[in-house]
Amino acid sequence: MPFRSLGLDAAILKAVQETGYTEPTPIQAAAIPFVLQRRDLIGIAQTGTGKTAAFTLPILSLLAASPSKGIRALIIAPTRELVVQIEENVRAYAKHMPLTVATIFGGVSERPQIKALEQGADIVVATPGRLLDLIRGREKAFAHIEFLVLDEADRMLDMGFVPAIRQIVRLLPRKRQTLFFSATLSREIEKLTGEFLQEPETVEIGRRSNPADTVTQSVYEIPQHLKPGLLLHLLQNQTLSVVLVFTRTKHGADRISRRLEQAGITTGTIHSNRSQNQRLRALNEFKEGKIRVLVATDIAARGIDVDGITHVVNYDFPPHHEDYVHRIGRTGRAKAVGEAISFVSKEDEDALRALERFTRRGIPRVKAEGFDDKAPAPPRERGAGGDRRPSRKPGEVRAPRSSSSSYRSGGQPRQRRADSSGGAGGAQSGQKSSGEKKGVIGRIFDLGRR
Ligand code: AMP
């Protein structure tokens, strides 16, 4: 289906064409006509499906049809990074239109944001906390809102933003069009849609909460103390070229970044202890390809929109399956393919099994070629259960190629993928043995759907 059959304004179509999109993604094809018909909408779609354009394009199209009269569209998103990315999208799609956009988020001076509000940008993209601070006393500036978008509503719920959002919504005109996007549709989310929307249409792309089908997933069963070594080992493979690594803690993120930098791998870090400028700089360097690995905690990484992330590494396995889905949604975006690699230690096994039950899919267990995953923990670290200390030198390979396969529950293991050789280390031999190709990263056995 071509974009032009959706009924969007000609200036938007031109910008979309210049962006290089050839046809709408499924969420765009389903959502755009409803928005253009002025319907409230619930969009159940993960990041990476093209949902930002699904709400931005029709809103811009409708705004283009009437004259400017101050703030007309308010888009609320959970994090500053996401706000900045939505703003970038709006600017790109609106580049042939005389529309203005402003952003509002914490961690930076309020003054320019207040000025932008007072000048009345057509579109405001905001995080809930700072918006609530600024909206008080300036309710008039929001009296002409025609569109309200709540993006990544499930995450805003998790982050405790619902009371702030309620207060904000109370200050907005009742007669408005509301678009509500969430990756999951829980009972709590459904309750919120009842509060904020009127007779909404629902569009749902893919199974609820299921990882994007364009992402190949694999699990390395690995004790905590060997994780740093395994990460360095995998990164010897140059096909891991744009890599997002998730850690549970800020300190863990810093520690891993240092290890990678010491090993000569260009790395950036984003977490909530870093300043807004540091975070944006790391994100931009990652986008521009100046750094190969970005290490992030969940909240900081929320909504990262970087094209071409080849691999997501769950260095620490997420306890909640929603986080897993969000994390791996950073790769395999739109029509690209990507890989999600998870390090799973004993403590994570329950969470992994819960995820597999939830998605009704087994994730293949793999072994890293040339990496000894049975090496004992150094005495000081044994039982510490953390990633505090390096277990080996960067790039060191201790054991000959592992020969044991790792797969669970019955059935014949089936090899899924074998890459060509690439990087510097022992994992790249690409040898074949007993009729089974060895992958660059490891051998992968598909357990199939459960
Ligand atoms: P989103 O789900 O909004 O975060 O978008 C994910 C990625 O898909 C972004 O990098 C967009 O630039 C890209 N994208 C959005 N719409 C399309 C499209 N119709 N064709 C190709 N890529 C798209």
Side-chain angles (χ1 to χ4, degrees), residues 396-407:
E396 181 187 343
V397 176
R398 278 187 189 160
R401 262 168 215 106
S402 150
S403 57
S404 62
S405 59
S406 167
Y407 53 93

Side-chain angles (χ1 to χ4, degrees), residues 66-81:
S66 60
S68 205
K69 51 184 176 215
I71 306 169
R72 290 187 287 160
L74 175 62
I75 302 171
I76 304 180
T79 66
R80 324 171 218 208
E81 281 78 10

